[in-house]
């Protein structure tokens, strides 16, 4: 039994070495195959080796350019560029929809719950919303909301945004900006198209509050919104200095929105100091801040005649002293014109006297010798012809009136011969004369005719030269008073802590500006506030 039992027990164990050998041979063949044909290692999905994004040429289509640059930079999951959704029309529920849903509707809503949840979360995915032009579908505005914009994304924007020729506005809402990324963003703006004039940075509080860098002297931003950024009095001080100082002034910013911040009386005073010498800001909002009567009175005082400080008086005198040599430099041209005019008047007087002498000689000859009248007339005619010939050579009689007419016509239209509409750059000659004419006309309060071809050039040259300290002033009791800022048209101070004291200060300001506007109704120029929003805070008893 033992052998019988061993025999069948040995039979199943017998093939094991063979199987091991065969398995060994299989592994050896696999090793040979592995040596002969090395297995290709595929890279993980979404981790392709990034190429050089500098070599990419932008096409001007933001959706394509941004995706390509993100891919070349190694991004696997990046925001998509989508059109900005339009607001839906007002919805009025009907009577049928107000009824209770049936069991079938509840069953369908339960089956579609997953899709509805996914569709809701799609709204919160990071996207770049764009406002397109209706005609050529070019990007006009960019909206980024609720996701952090890092240095790498700003680097991609610096490559694809300059190709957008019609970009007008960039809106960044709660994108986690820092002082460093703000500096990178500011360096990006000059690369964009010249049509970019509006920047909105809302919900981006910065530790150093360096928002004033957006209002530098070389900035082209015209509309700036800084709502809900926790700007306090220190940030308002930096912004006020960016509006204007004694030696510099922002000339491009038109509107500034500082609503929903933490600006108090001290900050309002700094902004009022910035408005003293600023002549470009038209719209200012300080709604929902912490301004009380003290700050409100400082803002109201700047909008009516205010006293110049000692440093401002010294700077005004320095500017007046510098203006004197400039006028003397322009005076030789006017003196030359004066000398030529006097010479022409002298020549005209000489010519007229010579004609009068000839007429008198003719009359005397005709009185003395009535006989032979034809001969005397011929001789007198010869004398006049000789005078005319000499006048044509030396221009005493006939040549000067024509020149005088041309000079008179040119005197009324000084810039017409130099301002012919030409392509490219304007003529270089006569630019100093244009500036002098503009300065003198503005200083004397004359109205200019801006309907000529080079209107923009003339206005910019005048704006570059005129300083607010050179405006007409009033001397009272040994003090110098400026007429105040009458360029600001809109001021919003809603939801602050202003009482009747601050309200009375603005009432006196509005009354003064109303009288000034009546006196200025015939002439052109700024007249003061057109919109003032105030709300008196009720005192708690």
């Amino acid at each position: 039994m033992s052998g019988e039992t061993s025999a069948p027990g040995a039979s199943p164990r017998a093939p094991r070495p063979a199987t091991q050998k065969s398995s060994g041979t299989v592994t050896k063949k696999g090793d040979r195959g592995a040596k002969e044909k090395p297995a290709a290692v595929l890279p993980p999905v979404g981790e392709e080796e990034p190429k050089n994004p500098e070599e990419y040429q932008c096409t001007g289509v933001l959706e394509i350019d941004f995706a390509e640059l993100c891919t070349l930079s190694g991004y696997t999951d990046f925001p998509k560029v989508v059109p900005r959704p339009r607001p839906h029309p007002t919805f009025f529920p009907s009577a049928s929809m107000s009824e209770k849903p049936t069991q079938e509707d509840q069953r369908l809503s339960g089956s579609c719950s997953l899709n509805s949840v996914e569709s809701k979360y799609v709204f919160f995915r990071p996207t770049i919303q764009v406002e397109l032009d209706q005609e050529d579908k070019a990007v006009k505005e960019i909206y980024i909301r609720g996701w952090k914009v890092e240095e790498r994304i700003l680097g991609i924007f610096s490559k694809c945004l300059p190709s957008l020729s019609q970009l007008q506005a960039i809106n960044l809402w709660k994108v986690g900006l820092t002082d460093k990324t703000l500096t990178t963003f500011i360096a990006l703006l000059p690369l964009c198209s010249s049509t970019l004039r509006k920047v909105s940075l809302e919900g981006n509080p910065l530790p150093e509050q360096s928002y004033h860098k957006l209002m530098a002297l070389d900035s082209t931003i015209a509309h700036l919104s800084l709502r809900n950024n926790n700007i306090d009095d220190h940030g308002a001080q930096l912004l006020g200095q960016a509006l204007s100082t004694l030696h510099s002034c922002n000339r491009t910013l038109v509107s500034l929105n500082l609503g929903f911040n933490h600006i108090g009386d001290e900050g309002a005073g700094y902004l009022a100091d910035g408005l003293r010498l600023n002549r470009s800001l038209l719209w200012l909002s300080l709604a929902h801040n912490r301004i009380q009567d003290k700050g409100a009175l400082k803002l109201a005082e700047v909008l009516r005649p205010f006293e110049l400080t000692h440093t401002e008086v010294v700077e005004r005198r320095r500017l007046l002293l510098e203006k004197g040599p400039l006028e003397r430099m322009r005076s030789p041209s006017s003196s030359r014109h004066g000398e030529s005019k006097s010479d022409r008047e002298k020549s005209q007087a000489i010519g007229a006297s010579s004609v009068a002498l000839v007429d008198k000689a003719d009359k005397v000859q005709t009185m003395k010798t009535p006989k032979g009248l034809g001969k005397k007339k011929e001789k007198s005619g010869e004398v006049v012809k000789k005078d005319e010939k000499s006048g044509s050579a030396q221009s005493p009689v006939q040549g000067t009136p024509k020149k005088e007419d041309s000079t008179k016509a040119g005197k009324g239209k000084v810039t017409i011969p130099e301002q012919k509409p030409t392509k490219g750059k304007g003529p270089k000659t006569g630019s100093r004369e244009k500036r002098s004419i503009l300065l003198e006309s503005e200083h004397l309060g004359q109205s200019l005719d801006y309907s000529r071809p080079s209107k923009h050039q003339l206005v910019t040259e005048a704006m570059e030269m005129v300083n607010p300290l050179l405006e007409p002033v009033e001397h009272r009791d040994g003090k110098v008073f400026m007429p105040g800022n009458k360029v600001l048209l809109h001021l919003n101070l809603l939801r602050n802590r202003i009482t009747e004291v601050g309200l009375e200060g603005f009432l006196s300001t509005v009354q003064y500006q109303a009288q000034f506007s009546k006196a200025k109704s015939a002439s052109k120029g700024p007249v003061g506030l057109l919109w003032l929003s105030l709300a008196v805070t009720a005192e708690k008893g």
Side-chain angles (χ1 to χ4, degrees):
M1 290 295 291
S2 63
E4 291 177 358
T5 55
S6 62
S11 59
R13 295 174 183 171
R16 289 179 183 176
T19 55
Q20 289 177 359
K21 288 181 182 179
S22 62
S23 64
T25 56
V26 170
T27 54
K28 288 180 182 179
K29 288 181 181 179
D31 293 340
R32 290 174 185 174
K35 290 180 181 178
E36 292 175 359
K37 296 180 180 180
V41 180
L42 295 176
V45 178
E47 294 184 3
E48 298 180 358
E49 182 180 357
K51 299 180 183 179
N52 186 11
E54 299 291 341
E55 299 177 356
Y56 179 77
Q57 298 292 332
C58 293
T59 60
V61 181
L62 183 61
E63 183 177 1
I64 298 174
D65 295 339
F66 184 77
E68 289 293 334
L69 288 171
C70 286
T71 304
L72 294 176
S73 300
Y75 276 100
T76 56
D77 188 13
F78 49 85
K80 294 183 179 180
V81 179
V82 297
R84 190 185 183 200
R86 295 283 182 178
H88 295 286
T90 55
F91 177 73
F92 299 98
S94 61
S96 61
M97 296 188 67
S98 62
E99 298 175 358
K100 295 182 179 179
T102 60
Q103 294 182 355
E104 186 177 359
D105 294 336
Q106 292 178 355
R107 182 176 58 81
L108 290 174
S109 62
S111 62
C112 299
S113 61
L114 181 62
N115 294 331
S116 62
V117 169
E118 289 180 353
S119 63
K120 288 180 180 178
Y121 277 102
V122 167
F123 175 78
F124 296 101
R125 288 181 181 176
T127 58
I128 300 175
Q129 299 180 1
V130 294
E131 189 82 22
L132 302 177
D133 188 69
Q134 296 181 357
E135 296 180 357
D136 53 2
K137 302 301 179 182
V139 176
K140 295 172 56 179
E141 298 188 23
I142 295 177
Y143 296 86
I144 300 177
R145 301 170 59 86
W147 56 275
K148 189 172 183 178
V149 176
E150 301 175 347
E151 288 277 347
R152 294 179 65 186
I153 293 292
L154 290 176
I156 293 174
F157 280 151
S158 66
K159 296 180 179 64
C160 60
L161 293 188
S163 60
L164 305 178
S165 60
Q166 298 185 24
L167 182 61
Q168 299 177 5
I170 297 178
N171 302 271
L172 304 180
W173 182 77
K174 291 188 177 181
V175 297
L177 283 181
T178 62
D179 291 284
K180 184 179 179 181
T181 53
L182 178 63
T183 304
T184 306
F185 175 73
I186 293 173
L188 177 154
L189 296 178
L191 304 176
C192 298
S193 173
S194 59
T195 57
L196 177 60
R197 293 302 178 91
K198 179 183 177 183
V199 173
S200 176
L201 304 180
E202 299 182 359
N204 296 283
L206 302 179
E208 298 179 5
Q209 302 189 34
S210 53
Y211 306 101
H212 63 283
K213 296 180 180 178
L214 292 162
M215 301 162 53
L217 295 177
D218 57 347
S219 174
T220 59
I221 299 175
H223 307 279
L224 180 61
S225 180
L226 299 174
R227 296 193 307 171
N228 198 17
N229 286 330
N230 297 337
I231 299 176
D232 56 11
D233 292 339
H234 174 64
Q237 180 182 8
L238 299 176
L239 292 173
Q241 293 174 355
L243 284 175
S244 73
T245 60
L246 194 61
H247 303 285
S248 63
C249 179
N250 182 284
R251 299 182 183 275
T252 57
L253 191 64
V254 176
S255 66
L256 177 62
N257 194 339
L258 298 176
F260 296 90
N261 283 291
H262 302 158
I263 300 174
D265 288 340
E266 188 176 355
Y270 291 131
L271 293 173
D273 293 339
L275 293 174
R276 290 172 71 92
L277 301 179
N278 183 281
R279 296 297 180 267
S280 63
L281 191 67
L282 306 177
W283 193 96
L284 176 62
S285 176
L286 293 170
H288 295 266
N289 277 278
R290 302 172 181 176
I291 301 174
Q292 299 182 12
D293 292 331
K294 185 178 179 181
L297 290 176
K298 289 182 179 179
L299 290 169
E301 289 173 359
V302 179
L303 305 179
R304 59 175 183 262
F306 58 86
E307 180 186 353
L308 291 181
T309 62
H310 175 70
T311 55
E312 290 173 345
V313 172
V314 172
E315 180 66 15
R316 173 181 165 81
R317 291 175 179 174
R318 187 185 67 81
L319 294 173
L320 291 173
L321 290 175
E322 289 182 355
K323 187 179 178 182
L326 292 176
E327 291 180 351
R328 286 196 295 270
M329 289 176 62
R330 293 194 299 267
S331 60
S333 60
S334 60
S335 64
R336 284 197 298 269
H337 289 298
E339 290 174 0
S340 60
K341 186 177 179 181
S342 62
D343 293 339
R344 288 195 298 269
E345 289 177 353
K346 290 180 181 179
S347 62
Q348 291 172 8
I350 294 171
S353 61
S354 62
V355 171
L357 290 174
V358 171
D359 294 338
K360 287 182 179 180
D362 292 340
K363 290 180 180 179
V364 169
Q365 289 175 357
T366 52
M367 290 286 290
K368 289 183 179 179
T369 56
K371 295 181 181 180
L373 186 62
K375 295 181 180 181
K376 296 289 181 181
K377 284 184 180 180
E378 289 176 0
K379 290 182 181 180
S380 62
E382 291 176 359
V383 173
V384 173
K385 288 180 181 179
K386 289 180 181 180
D387 292 335
E388 288 177 359
K389 289 180 181 180
S390 62
S392 61
Q394 300 178 0
S395 67
V397 180
Q398 291 184 349
T400 51
K402 294 182 180 179
K403 291 182 180 179
E404 185 181 0
D405 294 337
S406 61
T407 53
K408 286 182 180 178
K411 188 175 180 181
K413 302 178 181 179
V414 176
T415 54
I416 286 178
E418 296 175 356
Q419 293 184 359
K420 295 180 180 178
T422 56
K423 296 181 180 180
K425 297 182 179 180
K428 296 182 179 179
T429 59
S431 60
R432 293 182 180 176
E433 295 179 359
K434 294 176 189 175
R435 293 193 186 97
S436 63
I437 293 166
L438 285 168
L439 288 174
E440 292 171 359
S441 59
E442 286 190 359
H443 181 69
L444 297 175
Q446 297 175 354
S447 60
L448 294 175
D449 183 12
Y450 291 119
S451 60
R452 292 172 183 171
S454 59
K455 172 180 68 175
H456 180 69
Q457 181 181 0
L458 293 175
V459 173
T460 52
E461 287 178 357
M463 289 179 65
E464 290 176 0
M465 298 297 293
V466 173
N467 190 302
L469 286 174
L470 296 178
E471 294 178 355
V473 297
E474 182 181 356
H475 298 271
R476 289 182 295 181
D477 300 331
K479 299 177 181 179
V480 183
F481 288 83
M482 286 191 67
N485 188 331
K486 296 182 180 61
V487 178
L488 188 67
L489 304 179
H490 180 108
L491 180 60
N492 188 356
L493 290 171
L494 287 174
R495 299 290 180 177
N496 281 280
R497 303 171 184 176
I498 303 173
T499 63
E500 294 180 356
V501 178
L503 185 62
E504 290 177 359
F506 276 104
L507 178 61
S508 61
T509 296
V510 172
Q511 289 175 349
Y512 164 75
Q513 291 189 352
Q515 295 177 358
F516 179 83
S517 62
K518 290 180 180 179
K520 281 280 184 179
S521 58
S523 62
K524 299 180 181 178
V527 294
L529 287 175
L530 300 177
W531 183 284
L532 177 63
S533 299
L534 280 172
V536 178
T537 304
E539 297 181 359
K540 296 181 180 180

